[in-house]
Amino acid sequence: MTSIGRLAYRTFGDMDRAAREIAAAGYKGIEFFDGNVLDGGADDFASLRRTLAETGLALVAVYSGGNFIFADVLEEELARIGKAADAAQALGAEHLVVGGGARRLSGARSGDYDALAAALDKVVAIAEARGLKAQYHPHLSTIVETPAEVARIFEKTAIGFCPDTAHLAAAGGDPAALVTGHAARITYVHLKGWRRDPFAFVPVGEGDCDNGAVIRALKAIGYDGWICNELDAWPDPAAGARDSLRFVEAEAAKA
């Protein structure tokens, strides 16, 4: 049995170990999926608080999301995002990031963008009520992948833009140009490496996504917020984290 109100994003792994390896690599902050934050119950963050305190990491953001286009389940989806926002507030996070916007099997309908935008504005209200900044994260397999779709949704909603450079590049976009074009919305960034063939997400400095150009674009727009290096499954995650950070530091020094 599945409950929409209980579905969550989750990484299956040892989050304490991950945080310690991330801190050892030299990072100052971390982002968690809502499921990993809420695993101990909505009011029990003792283990996560201990991990953050012992590593010195700031919890920068909590990531959640939903279909957002189906009216019958929207209330349940937003209630779950509210729980994620409560956790983010309790743990001192700055950002609430959401992905989503379901692409129907038959393809997107014109009204889906209006429904998504209205839901994202509700996410903004949820975040602001808790002192958080709300961000939308365009993602492959949703109705917001391409540059045109990114522009379309941001014409309809006030939510911030969290660019994920790999997903934007894989969808045919120029991430640096999208950063420049949507500069006023950007207060949080996901840098991610992407290889076209064979398709894979890779450390930030590898592959076919020009994250160096993104870093230069961020400097050009005067961006001074958090940058999150993101990496999916990788043979040596700690080494991937170290390599990604070295790349960003080197490119930032040159920018």
Side-chain angles (χ1 to χ4, degrees):
M1 183 172 65
T2 300
S3 167
I4 293 293
R6 294 181 180 274
L7 293 175
Y9 292 80
R10 180 176 284 100
T11 293
F12 292 97
D14 185 337
M15 292 298 98
D16 181 75
R17 176 183 174 183
R20 293 179 190 281
E21 291 183 350
I22 286 167
Y27 289 88
K28 304 301 182 186
I30 194 167
E31 175 180 320
F32 280 118
F33 284 135
D34 57 349
N36 295 109
V37 173
L38 296 170
D39 273 346
D43 299 315
D44 180 12
F45 306 118
S47 177
L48 183 52
R49 289 184 194 278
R50 182 170 57 252
T51 295
L52 294 172
E54 292 178 357
T55 60
L57 293 171
L59 179 63
V60 178
V62 173
Y63 186 103
S64 188
N67 294 287
F68 292 135
I69 66 168
F70 303 121
D72 286 351
V73 298
L74 181 60
E75 181 179 354
E76 297 291 317
E77 290 180 331
L78 293 175
R80 178 174 49 76
I81 289 170
K83 293 178 182 177
D86 287 339
Q89 179 190 36
L91 291 164
E94 183 176 346
H95 298 283
L96 175 67
V97 184
V98 297
R103 187 177 294 277
R104 301 171 192 268
L105 292 177
S106 59
R109 302 175 187 173
S110 59
D112 290 346
Y113 289 90
D114 291 328
L116 173 58
L120 293 177
D121 283 339
K122 293 181 185 297
V123 172
V124 172
I126 288 170
E128 289 182 346
R130 295 159 175 83
L132 304 170
K133 297 176 184 176
Q135 315 288 334
Y136 178 61
H137 175 297
H139 201 287
L140 293 174
S141 80
T142 72
I143 61 173
V144 184
E145 297 180 333
T146 67
E149 291 166 347
V150 171
R152 184 174 184 178
I153 197 60
F154 285 135
E155 289 174 353
K156 298 174 178 289
T157 175
I159 202 167
F161 176 24
C162 175
D164 180 304
T165 55
H167 284 266
L168 294 171
D174 178 342
L178 286 161
V179 164
T180 301
H182 297 278
R185 285 186 183 263
I186 297 174
T187 57
Y188 186 47
V189 175
H190 283 185
L191 288 185
K192 191 171 185 177
W194 164 69
R195 185 179 64 218
R196 179 178 287 105
D197 188 21
F199 186 101
F201 295 122
V202 297
V204 168
E206 300 182 22
D208 299 300
C209 179
D210 189 352
N211 282 307
V214 174
I215 291 168
R216 293 190 292 275
L218 289 168
K219 183 171 183 178
I221 67 172
Y223 180 77
D224 63 356
W226 285 97
I227 293 174
C228 173
N229 285 341
E230 184 180 349
L231 181 62
D232 288 2
W234 193 247
D236 188 339
R242 292 193 297 270
D243 291 345
S244 292
L245 182 57
R246 282 196 293 265
F247 173 83
V248 171
E249 289 176 338
E251 291 296 313
K254 294 187 297 185

